[in-house]
Amino acid sequence: MAQAWTLVARPNGMPSIGDFALKEIAMPPLADGWARIRNRWLSVDPYMRGRMNDAKSYAQPYALGEPMAGGAVGEVVESRAPALKAGDLVLHSFGWRDEVVGPAPAFTRLPALDIPEQRFLGHLGMPGMTAYFGLLDIAAAKAGEVLFVSAAAGAVGSAVVQIAKIKGLTVIGSAGGAEKCTMVRELGGDHVIDYQAPGTLADKLAAAAPGGIDIYFDNVGGAHLDAALGAAKDNARFAMCGMIETYNDENPPAIRNMMRIVRARIRMQGFIIFDYNHRIGEFHAEMGRWMTEGRIKSEETIRKGLAATPAAFLDLFSGGNSGKMLVRL
Amino acid sequence: MAQAWTLVARPNGMPSIGDFALKEIAMPPLADGWARIRNRWLSVDPYMRGRMNDAKSYAQPYALGEPMAGGAVGEVVESRAPALKAGDLVLHSFGWRDEVVGPAPAFTRLPALDIPEQRFLGHLGMPGMTAYFGLLDIAAAKAGEVLFVSAAAGAVGSAVVQIAKIKGLTVIGSAGGAEKCTMVRELGGDHVIDYQAPGTLADKLAAAAPGGIDIYFDNVGGAHLDAALGAAKDNARFAMCGMIETYNDENPPAIRNMMRIVRARIRMQGFIIFDYNHRIGEFHAEMGRWMTEGRIKSEETIRKGLAATPAAFLDLFSGGNSGKMLVRL
């Protein structure tokens, strides 16, 4: 038997622990070409909130009563597939559970890089790849430009800050509270905005970027997006990656500066990182090199044990993480 | 002496007649290389509302006490410039006045096309050019795609509808009231939404485009933009041309569907038609041909006399025009 967190209710607004239940799942015997994986690291990510709704989205809604899918790193403990052998570390998307069996192609062996295995759920995984292609492809960032990134201490934002510095941009990062702001500065942020401190975001952004911003990397939506619209230079590019501030809000805040899209000829481009899967090689090559060279620091917030998973997920929405939020089994 | 409407107060919210005053303006004697123009047609356009604010924008704010600038067509009545002779018809941007003098390069002789002169303020002028490049360049419209356009009975929208039909798109146009909806249908719109009729825009758009929309041409912002976000197919393009619904609204409505920018990978691109001035030749060639061939119909709402100008402008914001709003002197 495996243990897995399942979705038992679809939340309106902020989810709660009661939306999830830990269940025993029967594990079928290994079929030919299958493997059994014992999970070591589970990922909790903001996008999962969207999949809890029964709504049109880029990913299928989670089914009620079924295990919560998501990124995980595990170890092969038994294999009837030639491509995998016991002891191999693999990445997969079977999510919030301690063990899983499945056909070998559902498991990707981790590349042989001298990098801690859980990075494949963080800066060398989906969040890092989101930062990399969002900044360099969607926003077409160039040396000398001024970048504003929200949730700059988060899994995606902390990668955006560091990649932008490597590429020669001026970086303004927003984060909540003194500790995260210090972290953003240590990652190389030129200016840090504490959105929890007194004063408006518009004023803080104007002080940090008196000449305006060329790029906004949006992880939060809402008031940050509005402030970025107000500060955008002509022909600014907005990489629209997520809007965590609004995921649990049934009455999203008004965006007062929408008309600046027209006046400043802003290009706002939404993107889903899965669309870049065919370019993962480029990302692994360049980001992997930066990471082995020590040019990318990876902050992590680690919770212990399968039981802690839903709470770790919920804490994403109150800023409970610095860097990547992970669960260690 | 010339008579000119000047801006005497900057409005908050909806402007009023009292924000303008008709003044006598001394006319200097003609300098060498200058010409005197008697205006025949004045343009009133939604973008002028933005220039009444003292705020950062693509065009300079109107100065208090100065004549209202804007598009106009007039006749040369006196010339000391070799390029212009009495009787020539010219386009210029000196705006809401009966007469003006200036250096010859400030006046553009109308091309010799068999088209009524006032069209150079409408479908063969700035609104038509906005429709043409907004649809074909910014939104990259292709045959077979589904287009939604708001203010489809307006100066820009009525051109968007017709260009899109020439290019083989399915067109859904929104307009206010039965009369305008009939007009949009007569221009070739496949589906017409009366936004003043009972029911939500989202429901009306879902009925008109059950499979979603590929392109939204936004002239109004607000609730139309929100409905378009909700109906957008993956990789939809939004040409963001103006947001007349919000120009006079100090508390713009919340956009509830912002997150669909991410989920549907929408590209929202703001644009200012002045940036396409270097491509005006392409536009004149193709649009001029369509117009002389009778493939583009041009509805006009014509007010009489200089005194009527501010009221004509104000009526733009309550839907008082079908097609291009003009003042005939």
Side-chain angles (χ1 to χ4, degrees), chain B residues 84-223:
Chain B
L84 296 174
K85 62 176 195 303
D88 283 350
L89 291 179
V90 296
L91 181 70
H92 64 84
S93 56
F94 290 101
W96 298 7
R97 51 194 299 160
D98 57 0
E99 226 178 271
V100 68
V101 299
F107 306 107
T108 305
R109 273 183 41 198
L110 299 191
L113 290 169
D114 184 21
I115 288 173
E117 64 199 52
Q118 71 274 23
R119 296 287 191 278
F120 289 89
L121 298 173
H123 281 162
L124 211 59
M126 186 269 291
M129 191 165 153
T130 301
Y132 183 86
F133 287 112
L135 184 66
L136 303 180
D137 201 72
I138 296 285
K142 291 185 294 289
E145 291 190 316
V146 177
L147 163 80
F148 177 45
V149 53
S150 51
V156 174
S158 61
V160 171
V161 169
Q162 296 178 87
I163 297 169
K165 287 315 300 176
I166 290 171
K167 294 289 186 181
L169 284 84
T170 297
V171 174
I172 302 156
S174 168
E179 197 179 330
K180 288 183 184 172
C181 286
T182 299
M183 173 188 151
V184 173
R185 221 170 272 117
E186 287 171 358
L187 295 178
D190 299 285
H191 306 273
V192 181
I193 288 174
D194 183 349
Y195 69 82
Q196 293 174 346
T200 69
L201 272 171
D203 288 346
K204 293 171 189 174
L205 191 50
I213 61 172
D214 298 290
I215 299 174
Y216 175 50
F217 195 110
D218 190 23
N219 291 303
V220 306

Side-chain angles (χ1 to χ4, degrees), chain A residues 107-168:
Chain A
F107 306 107
T108 304
R109 273 181 43 196
L110 299 190
L113 290 169
D114 185 20
I115 287 172
E117 65 199 51
Q118 72 273 24
R119 296 287 192 276
F120 289 89
L121 298 173
H123 281 163
L124 211 57
M126 187 269 290
M129 191 165 153
T130 301
Y132 182 86
F133 287 112
L135 184 66
L136 303 180
D137 201 71
I138 296 286
K142 293 184 293 291
E145 292 190 315
V146 178
L147 164 79
F148 176 46
V149 53
S150 51
V156 174
S158 61
V160 171
V161 168
Q162 296 178 88
I163 297 170
K165 288 314 299 175
I166 290 172
K167 294 289 186 180

